[in-house]
């Protein structure tokens, strides 16, 4: 089982969930204790081997915060076996367990494992010591993520959807990995480091309420502004901005970078709509001076 899960980690597709998805998963109907009709897991899973990281961890009662979920599928049809692991912060596990269990020296590590085979659900963890959710809760958490994750858009490939950005990061190698550089007479340099795609799930700025778009109420104009806030003018030519402003934090926490790019900015006005403009407040973004390149 350990060998099978290790293969699943190396071959898994990786997602970074939005910060608000943790609360939505915890409030999902699958977590209400009602019966779950999952159908064929092979048809529901976005990938046979997958891992999802929650920048804002999932908080459940009497459980350690969950920073991730990993799943691995082996076999097919009636012989399909699905393994699901919950990931938590290593520092939260009891110090007395560190010596006998040889906890990894990483910020996160698994704290619970369940298997599902022929509709039989088994759990391999000690909830009291490791703070892991029960087998049924773990399965419900994974199915809730699959349900909330947007399906593949029409015309898009399975590797990238219309609501995901793919970021390529360096693959972390184990200390026992062989060095790729050549020595001796044939020095041809080292091989390019291994990279791994990370899928950043995009989320709309406004999430529909429980009643859907019809039941959600739009914010009134100026509701998020103070009563005395006026509009102000912005006169700009160019500005260095992050190319992924909505996913910046998730990308940085996933180990990536967001080099700023120069973006042309037209003159516009900021602030609450429908209010007067404050003539004393003007933002000017000056272009780069020629002497900066010296």
């Amino acid at each position: 089982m350990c060998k099978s899960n290790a293969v699943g980690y190396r071959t898994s597709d990786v997602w970074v969930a939005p910060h608000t998805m943790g609360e939505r998963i915890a409030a999902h109907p699958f977590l209400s204790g009602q019966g779950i009709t999952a159908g064929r897991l092979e048809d529901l899973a976005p990938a046979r081997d997958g891992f999802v990281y929650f920048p804002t961890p999932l908080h459940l009662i009497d459980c350690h915060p969950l920073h991730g979920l990993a799943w691995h599928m082996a076999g097919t049809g009636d012989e399909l076996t699905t393994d699901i692991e919950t990931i938590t912060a290593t520092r939260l596990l009891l110090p007395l367990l560190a010596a006998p269990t040889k906890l990894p020296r990483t910020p996160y590590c698994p704290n619970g494992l369940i298997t599902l085979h022929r509709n039989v659900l088994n759990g391999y963890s000690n909830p009291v010591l490791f703070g892991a959710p029960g087998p049924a809760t773990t399965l419900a958490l994974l199915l809730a993520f699959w349900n909330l994750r947007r399906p593949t858009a029409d015309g898009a490939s399975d590797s990238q959807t219309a609501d995901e950005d793919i970021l390529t990061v360096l693959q972390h190698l184990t200390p026992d990995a062989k060095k790729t550089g050549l020595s001796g007479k044939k020095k041809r340099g080292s091989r390019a480091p291994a990279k791994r795609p990370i899928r950043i799930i995009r989320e709309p700025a406004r999430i529909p309420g429980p009643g859907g778009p019809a039941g959600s109420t739009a914010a009134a104009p100026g509701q998020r502004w103070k009563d005395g806030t006026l509009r102000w003018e912005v006169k700009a030519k160019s500005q260095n901005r992050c190319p992924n402003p909505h996913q910046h934090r998730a990308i940085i926490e996933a180990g990536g970078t967001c080099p700023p790019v120069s973006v042309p900015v037209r003159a516009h006005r900021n602030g609450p709509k429908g209010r007067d403009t404050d003539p004393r407040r003007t933002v000017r973004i000056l272009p780069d001076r020629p002497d900066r390149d010296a």
Side-chain angles (χ1 to χ4, degrees), residues 157-176:
S157 62
D158 294 337
S159 61
Q160 182 177 12
T161 71
D163 299 296
E164 292 181 359
D165 294 326
I166 291 186
L167 171 69
T168 303
V169 300
L170 294 177
Q171 176 68 58
H172 295 288
L173 299 177
T174 60
D176 299 333

Side-chain angles (χ1 to χ4, degrees), residues 37-78:
T37 304
R40 289 177 55 87
L41 293 182
E42 292 178 281
D43 299 334
L44 299 175
R48 289 183 64 86
D49 299 328
F51 175 84
V52 54
Y53 170 69
F54 300 107
T56 301
L58 269 162
H59 292 275
L60 300 177
I61 299 176
D62 298 331
C63 295
H64 288 326
L66 297 181
H67 293 265
L69 291 171
W71 68 92
H72 170 61
M73 291 183 172
T76 185
D78 295 337

Side-chain angles (χ1 to χ4, degrees), residues 196-217:
R196 189 171 196 169
I198 306 293
R199 291 163 174 81
I200 311 296
I201 303 177
R202 292 201 304 264
E203 196 168 56
R206 298 192 180 187
I207 303 174
S216 58
T217 58

Side-chain angles (χ1 to χ4, degrees), residues 25-160:
I25 290 178
H28 198 277
F30 288 168
L31 275 298
S32 62
Q34 301 177 358
I36 301 175
T37 304
R40 289 177 55 87
L41 293 182
E42 292 178 281
D43 299 334
L44 299 175
R48 289 183 64 86
D49 299 328
F51 175 84
V52 54
Y53 170 69
F54 300 107
T56 301
L58 269 162
H59 292 275
L60 300 177
I61 299 176
D62 298 331
C63 295
H64 288 326
L66 297 181
H67 293 265
L69 291 171
W71 68 92
H72 170 61
M73 291 183 172
T76 185
D78 295 337
E79 297 300 324
L80 176 68
T81 300
T82 304
D83 301 329
I84 308 173
E85 286 185 304
T86 54
I87 313 297
T88 190
T90 308
R91 59 178 176 80
L92 296 178
L93 301 183
L94 295 179
L96 296 178
L97 297 175
T101 57
K102 297 182 180 179
L103 295 178
R105 298 178 181 178
T106 56
Y108 310 108
C109 69
N111 66 328
L113 168 66
I114 71 168
T115 61
L116 178 64
H117 180 66
R118 292 184 177 272
N119 296 327
V120 177
L121 192 63
N122 293 316
Y124 304 90
S125 179
N126 189 328
V128 177
L129 296 179
F130 291 94
T137 302
T138 301
L139 177 61
L141 289 172
L142 183 66
L143 294 178
F145 167 69
W146 290 358
N147 183 260
L148 292 175
R149 177 185 172 272
R150 297 195 173 193
T152 303
D154 296 338
S157 62
D158 294 337
S159 61
Q160 182 177 12

